[in-house]
Amino acid sequence: MRKAYIDSIGMYVPSNVVTNKDLESRMDTSDEWIRERSGIQERHHVDGECTTDLALKASEEALEKAGMKPEDVDHIIFSTMASDYFAPGGGPMMTRRLGIPGTPALDIRMACSGFLYGLSVSKAFIESGAYENILLITSEVQSVALDFSTAGRDTAVLFGDGAAATVIKATDADQGILTVKTHSDGRYAEDLMLRTPSTLDNPFLTHEVLDKGYGRVSMNGRTVFKHAVTKFPQVINEALEASGVAKADIKLVVPHQANLRITEAVANRLDLELHKVVFSNIHKYGNTTSASIPIALYEAMAEGKIERGDYVVVASFGAGFTWGASVIKW
Ligand code: UT7
């Protein structure tokens, strides 16, 4: 049966490294607090680059690794919470950046679950026979919407900028994306959001709206934490059951890198076979929203932790709330 498999991944983070010490000079925080609560040591922030700049670098690497030219891409899926423009989205912009005008492009705004939703759509597109080569781009610039004063410290220290691009192709071989399970629950929309520009305000961008802080990411950290540690294990088990793959056969679990305490709490709630193999690289990048899972996959491959034929689980939780998990035979 025709399947969708991950052929290659490219990644890019801006060269500007922001350490916890750097943040100490901008707000009342400490390296110790940030490490203890989140496991983050440093993150990368843009310095003059925009979302599609990051996306282009990651895409070029992914295409080169796949032995493809931009013209070989027959559909773009673009996930971000911060496009170059509020409208149009980043997908059409990437056809311009890659020099492939006319290529279909779909935007996804599913926050930290953007990669999971992107896998879900890619799998359906490819298995139906509609497309052969999909470029799933996850590119995030959150630093421009963070409040770096002490008032915003609980959120600003967590996020980093970064991008990944994943080439997903059709195959008849015994490999690929076996299952994807996704969920959403808008009852918690306000617990993690970027409110403005919003149609709740008319006109939607005024000085008054911005003065209220609506142009900054806001978060109820404890509520996010509580739901994340419940939903991650639930959806991982759901995806595993649907795939029929035994837990003992899973080589690596790659959760969205939200923060180390969430990853550890999730690992503790998983059965032992899975607990042993949970991957983390949050200390280097912070939370890069929808880019975090493919960046982690990229690094896990580079470290030899994933090889062809291995069973891998990826899972996410984030704003919406949205969450999901996938089982992949690499
Ligand atoms: O993709 C999902 C993204 N979201 C997340 O991953 C967030 C999930 N939530 C969390 O990880 C945690 O809730 C946080 C790391 C955000 C916060 O940890 P917490 O243990 O829930 O701390 P808290 O919000 O209850 O704050 C404890 C104290 C407060 O001070 P007081 O009131 O006890 O004096 C905060 O004002 O820590 C203070 N605080 C900080 N102190 C130093 C909050 N942020 C900081 C900071 N530096 N950056």
Side-chain angles (χ1 to χ4, degrees):
M1 188 196 144
R2 184 178 156 104
K3 287 212 180 65
Y5 80 101
I6 294 179
D7 186 89
S8 70
I9 302 178
M11 70 166 274
Y12 178 76
V13 288
S15 58
N16 175 34
V17 176
V18 178
T19 64
N20 293 345
K21 283 267 167 229
D22 294 331
L23 293 177
E24 285 179 8
S25 63
R26 300 178 71 180
M27 63 181 83
D28 179 13
T29 190
S30 67
D31 176 44
E32 194 192 354
W33 193 97
I34 300 170
R35 279 177 198 247
E36 252 175 36
R37 304 288 171 126
S38 72
I40 300 165
Q41 297 172 19
E42 58 188 36
R43 73 286 291 143
H44 297 245
H45 285 172
V46 289
D47 184 8
E49 295 157 294
C50 65
T51 306
T52 61
D53 287 332
L54 275 53
L56 183 62
K57 295 253 174 56
S59 299
E60 284 169 347
E61 185 188 0
L63 292 174
E64 194 193 325
K65 280 184 168 170
M68 287 165 61
K69 294 192 174 65
E71 307 82 73
D72 300 325
V73 172
D74 47 28
H75 205 299
I76 290 171
I77 299 174
F78 193 92
S79 163
T80 191
M81 287 310 286
S83 285
D84 295 359
Y85 301 131
F86 182 67
M93 295 293 286
M94 286 309 296
T95 68
R96 179 161 107 190
R97 302 295 308 260
L98 287 164
I100 45 173
T103 305
L106 174 71
D107 284 289
I108 291 186
R109 296 177 77 231
M110 299 308 282
C112 299
S113 297
F115 184 70
L116 263 300
Y117 275 85
L119 288 184
S120 177
V121 175
S122 301
K123 177 171 156 50
F125 274 176
I126 286 176
E127 287 180 0
S128 72
Y131 298 102
E132 297 286 319
N133 300 314
I134 292 177
L135 184 62
L136 169 58
I137 303 169
T138 45
S139 184
E140 304 282 5
V141 175
Q142 304 291 14
S143 61
V144 297
L146 299 173
D147 176 1
F148 288 101
S149 74
T150 297
R153 65 183 179 173
D154 61 328
T155 307
V157 301
L158 299 179
F159 290 95
D161 303 333
T166 306
V167 172
I168 303 177
K169 289 187 179 179
T171 181
D172 291 318
D174 175 26
Q175 68 179 123
I177 303 164
L178 304 182
T179 52
V180 188
K181 296 290 174 185
T182 49
H183 298 275
S184 71
D185 186 347
R187 288 176 298 173
Y188 302 96
E190 289 78 18
D191 287 304
L192 179 50
M193 71 166 175
L194 176 54
R195 188 185 177 284
T196 289
S198 160
T199 52
L200 295 173
D201 305 310
N202 188 1
F204 71 9
L205 254 193
T206 59
H207 288 292
E208 195 193 343
V209 164
L210 292 176
D211 287 347
K212 287 182 182 161
Y214 290 168
R216 304 287 187 200
V217 176
S218 64
M219 179 177 70
N220 182 348
R222 292 204 164 187
T223 305
V224 174
F225 192 97
K226 200 178 74 188
H227 283 82
V229 298
T230 312
K231 297 300 186 195
F232 263 118
Q234 261 176 21
V235 75
I236 288 172
N237 285 324
E238 183 191 356
L240 271 166
E241 253 170 51
S243 73
V245 176
K247 288 176 184 169
D249 292 333
I250 299 298
K251 184 81 178 295
L252 202 66
V253 177
V254 179
H256 162 54
Q257 306 289 300
N259 86 44
L260 189 61
R261 279 199 317 163
I262 291 182
T263 299
E264 285 174 351
V266 169
N268 285 331
R269 289 178 186 215
L270 293 171
D271 293 347
L272 192 61
E273 297 94 329
L274 297 174
H275 181 146
K276 290 184 300 201
V277 294
V278 175
F279 185 84
S280 172
N281 64 354
I282 191 147
H283 56 288
K284 293 193 276 183
Y285 304 115
N287 178 343
T288 56
T289 318
S290 71
S292 92
I293 295 173
I295 287 176
L297 288 170
Y298 178 105
E299 296 208 324
M301 277 193 287
E303 291 169 24
K305 289 185 170 154
I306 306 175
E307 281 162 17
R308 285 284 168 216
D310 288 342
Y311 288 107
V312 176
V313 172
V314 294
S316 69
F317 182 87
F321 291 150
T322 58
W323 62 104
S326 174
V327 181
I328 301 166
K329 186 171 185 188
W330 204 257

